[in-house]
Amino acid sequence: EVLLVESGGGLVQAGGSLRLSCAASGFTFDDYAIGWFRQAPGKEREVVSCLVISSGRTYYADSVTGRFNISSDNAKNTVYLQMNSLNPEDAAVYYCALTPFSIETMDPGEFGYWGHGTQVTVSS
């Protein structure tokens, strides 16, 4: 059973930083992609960043480009999301998700495995 566990969320002041972690286990896929998504109250879940493990190819939403960085420690099957210069608009529940298939649109529907999420709160 694929298990994804997020950690690292919390309360931070605007302009601050957080690093989220996504620990993945329970799978034997040769290749996979991890996506970070977020969902704020009353809004749809949106992609933040994606990483294809084998190629290292990354994707960032326009709203976080230059502020967020996705990386991985493949030995630990852990993907990180370093978030800098946070603003109140970044506040949301952040989820990591996994797909063993190639990513086409980075729509949440492409990812079949999800963690339970970690809350990020940004005070102004």
Side-chain angles (χ1 to χ4, degrees), residues 39-76:
Q39 188 166 18
K43 295 187 177 181
E44 293 187 354
R45 191 168 297 188
E46 62 178 2
V47 64
V48 175
S49 182
C50 294
L51 169 67
V52 180
I53 295 299
S54 62
S55 66
R57 182 168 65 95
T58 60
Y59 166 84
Y60 296 94
D62 290 343
S63 59
V64 306
T65 297
R67 299 188 299 124
F68 291 12
N69 184 69
I70 191 169
S71 62
S72 67
D73 183 335
N74 295 343
K76 297 181 178 179

Side-chain angles (χ1 to χ4, degrees), residues 17-20 67-71 80-84:
S17 299
L18 284 174
R19 189 177 81 156
L20 305 183
R67 299 188 299 124
F68 291 12
N69 184 69
I70 191 169
S71 62
Y80 304 99
L81 184 68
Q82 177 67 42
M83 306 187 297
N84 301 320

